[in-house]
Amino acid sequence: MDVSDLMDLQTYVGERLGDKLDGAELAFDELNLTTTAENICAVLRFLRDDVQTQFISFVDICGVDYPERRKRFEIVYHLLSPRQNMRVRVRVATDAETPVPSVVDVFPGADWFEREAYDMYGILFTGHPDLRRLLTDYGFEGYPLRKDFPLTGFTEVRYDDAQKRVVYEPVELRQEFRNFDFLSPWEGTDYVLPGDEKETKAN
């Protein structure tokens, strides 16, 4: 792909969308657009329908967590234009309390991606037809992909065959944390490596 084509696309999109964009830059052979929650549907609809863009293929939506920011979450939309042979990335910033409009009406394939972002990060989407957890269990507390989510958790969920139901239990670490010396065999280790006993017998 020619960089000049991306630059032309950046100029065209910037002129057509105007104040609906907060920023547009080229990075990693893709056009990166930044917009606001209230403009996300209009921006995606333009990218899909305009004859000069035709980003008709919806790839995915993902969340990113930046705890140090006031708006800690970024929602990232990835689109592909088979006709133009280009990709575009659109980003929207939000916080844990402020919902973002669902784009299911623009791209129906966004349905489960938005549910995943809600399940993993707690990002809220208004207008979603069925916003509920997708990957975690019913009654799960917390959002596993947030940077402040505890590494071990506090409860574990399993199916108990004797009770024939899902049970919740406190986390039990069945193995003590091991101490690694991080030394390679050439630096010397404080344990016998497999095969060393043969060398000892030979001497």
Side-chain angles (χ1 to χ4, degrees):
M1 183 192 316
D2 194 344
V3 177
S4 62
D5 293 336
L6 280 173
M7 295 177 67
D8 291 342
L9 177 64
Q10 178 183 6
T11 303
Y12 177 75
V13 170
E15 291 174 350
R16 293 298 305 274
L17 290 176
D19 57 1
K20 287 185 172 63
L21 293 180
D22 288 348
E25 61 179 0
L26 300 180
F28 305 106
D29 296 327
E30 290 184 18
L31 176 60
N32 295 273
L33 305 176
T34 305
T35 186
T36 58
E38 55 267 22
N39 290 320
I40 183 60
C41 289
V43 169
L44 293 185
R45 190 172 284 108
F46 167 82
L47 293 173
R48 182 195 66 184
D49 296 342
D50 189 86
V51 294
Q52 296 297 324
T53 56
Q54 297 188 25
F55 286 95
I56 61 173
S57 180
F58 174 82
V59 180
D60 73 357
I61 296 174
C62 63
V64 188
D65 186 14
Y66 299 99
E68 69 281 0
R69 295 184 183 177
R70 184 178 63 84
K71 292 186 175 182
R72 66 180 291 180
F73 300 117
E74 270 192 1
I75 309 163
V76 185
Y77 304 79
H78 295 97
L79 307 177
L80 169 68
S81 173
R83 184 178 182 87
Q84 307 293 343
N85 191 26
M86 293 181 183
R87 294 177 182 269
V88 68
R89 180 182 296 115
V90 185
R91 299 179 298 179
V92 173
T94 188
D95 54 37
E97 291 77 33
T98 307
V100 173
S102 172
V103 298
V104 171
D105 289 342
V106 184
F107 290 105
D111 188 343
W112 280 20
F113 289 105
E114 291 181 347
R115 285 181 60 187
E116 181 183 13
Y118 164 69
D119 193 5
M120 296 290 105
Y121 293 95
I123 299 171
L124 301 171
F125 295 91
T126 57
H128 191 281
D130 186 23
L131 190 63
R132 57 191 167 98
R133 289 190 181 270
L134 178 68
L135 301 174
T136 57
D137 190 47
Y138 298 112
F140 186 89
E141 295 182 5
Y143 304 99
L145 290 187
R146 287 189 180 185
K147 297 287 179 63
D148 52 6
F149 188 78
L151 294 179
T152 60
F154 300 105
T155 58
E156 60 183 351
V157 181
R158 67 178 179 84
Y159 179 78
D160 189 298
D161 197 46
Q163 301 181 48
K164 302 296 183 190
R165 66 180 183 88
V166 174
V167 295
Y168 293 80
E169 299 173 334
V171 169
E172 178 184 349
L173 298 177
R174 304 180 186 278
Q175 177 180 343
E176 293 184 4
F177 292 105
R178 294 174 291 174
N179 295 320
F180 295 93
D181 57 20
F182 297 105
L183 294 176
S184 73
W186 296 274
E187 294 171 318
T189 60
D190 57 0
Y191 52 85
V192 178
L193 294 171
D196 285 357
E197 67 278 359
K198 298 175 184 177
E199 182 66 23
T200 305
K201 291 177 182 178
N203 292 336

